Amino acid sequence: MIDVKNLVKTFEDGKTILKGISYHVEKGDKIVIVGPSGSGKSTFLRCLNLLNQPTSGEIWFDGKMINDPKTDINKIREHMGMVFQNFNLFNNLTVMDNITLAPVKLGIMKPDEAKEKALSLLARVNLTEKADVYPISLSGGQKQRIAIVRSLAMNPKMMLFDEPTSALDPEMVGEVLDVMKELAEDGMTMVVVTHEMGFAREVASKVLFMDDGLIVEENNPQDFFNNPQNPRLKDFLSKVL
């Protein structure tokens, strides 16, 4: 589904954050990326849908090279849901309008159809009663569940999650992770940057460890956590587990 070839990202200040990453995501994969702050995890994720423009390398999604200037990235993004750390909901719109805005505006669904889809998704995350309220009245955990629903309303082929629980109070983390686990069980292709090691252990098909702009180790969760090979990963796990 995604093929990344020799991805490099250098920012304006001359700092190279990604140093030639190649990686392949298959349909149905649950890829969880962990690593210390500043290792390039979020930059890598944001390059996958060109929120960060790569300096060099190729990113292929569903057979199309998306960082080719001729590719319409907005069309690609319709199939690639993104959930951010800070929810990014429109505070001046109700929950229902937040969810239905994109599918209606892009002509993917008629308003009635979009509303029906939104209500079924809200029921799925136990927030049907919040359809007509504004985001300001929601808890952090509720906002993040709405943000996930907003992405799902577009019927994406895959979902990207950028530290989706790191802005939440600890007691709200579980309700968001539960929704993500359900998505994983339903077969959604997912790439998740997170500090939630329990989630990585339970849900990932592969866990990647990034350090200093490179993927330095990848493995299934069992071997990743129980038998790490890389000294830097051993050190990291000894501090976070």
Side-chain angles (χ1 to χ4, degrees):
M1 188 160 280
I2 283 196
D3 209 7
V4 177
K5 299 176 182 176
N6 206 22
L7 185 66
V8 174
K9 174 63 182 170
T10 302
F11 284 97
E12 285 72 26
D13 61 2
K15 195 165 187 225
T16 300
I17 300 294
L18 302 177
K19 301 177 178 174
I21 288 181
S22 296
Y23 198 70
H24 187 71
V25 180
E26 297 281 355
K27 189 176 189 311
D29 275 353
K30 323 286 178 267
I31 307 296
V32 177
I33 305 172
V34 302
S37 293
S39 57
K41 308 182 298 292
S42 287
T43 302
F44 176 57
L45 194 78
R46 293 169 72 88
C47 281
L48 295 183
N49 65 0
L50 299 199
L51 284 174
N52 284 349
Q53 193 71 35
T55 306
S56 63
E58 295 178 3
I59 302 167
W60 294 75
F61 174 70
D62 236 12
K64 288 191 184 69
M65 184 171 149
I66 66 171
N67 57 325
D68 178 338
K70 295 194 285 289
T71 300
D72 179 353
I73 187 57
N74 291 321
K75 276 271 168 263
I76 300 291
R77 286 185 186 135
E78 287 176 19
H79 303 292
M80 212 189 260
M82 176 95 182
V83 177
F84 300 88
Q85 201 169 338
N86 295 317
F87 328 124
N88 288 18
L89 297 172
F90 297 112
N91 287 323
N92 59 330
L93 298 180
T94 63
V95 163
M96 177 58 76
D97 290 341
N98 263 286
I99 298 166
T100 57
L101 179 71
V104 172
K105 207 169 180 173
L106 295 167
I108 292 165
M109 293 173 202
K110 295 193 165 56
D112 288 355
E113 206 184 336
K115 193 169 180 181
E116 198 177 318
K117 171 95 177 166
L119 285 170
S120 77
L121 288 168
L122 284 170
R124 186 172 170 179
V125 298
N126 299 319
L127 289 173
T128 309
E129 76 288 357
K130 301 294 184 187
D132 298 319
V133 308
Y134 288 86
I136 191 99
S137 69
L138 300 172
S139 71
Q142 289 170 334
K143 284 179 186 171
Q144 197 58 295
R145 283 185 282 160
I146 297 297
I148 294 172
V149 160
R150 181 179 58 178
S151 282
L152 291 175
M154 295 289 291
N155 293 327
K157 293 180 180 176
M158 76 175 298
M159 295 274 286
L160 307 175
F161 293 87
D162 188 12
E163 299 196 16
T165 58
S166 61
L168 300 179
D169 292 335
E171 71 268 25
M172 291 172 186
V173 168
E175 60 193 49
V176 172
L177 293 181
D178 285 346
V179 173
M180 292 169 65
K181 283 175 194 166
E182 239 177 75
L183 274 180
E185 282 162 17
D186 288 349
M188 177 62 79
T189 307
M190 296 161 74
V191 181
V192 183
V193 170
T194 186
H195 296 292
E196 301 292 336
M197 297 299 148
F199 176 82
R201 202 187 276 267
E202 198 178 326
V203 176
S205 49
K206 282 271 170 64
V207 190
L208 313 186
F209 176 68
M210 282 186 69
D211 188 40
D212 196 26
L214 290 166
I215 296 168
V216 295
E217 187 156 336
E218 72 159 299
N219 218 325
N220 63 68
Q222 171 95 10
D223 292 328
F224 183 92
F225 288 105
N226 297 341
N227 189 22
Q229 302 299 305
N230 185 282
R232 184 70 189 87
L233 173 56
K234 287 179 184 171
D235 180 51
F236 175 79
L237 290 177
S238 73
K239 293 188 172 85
V240 298
L241 290 181

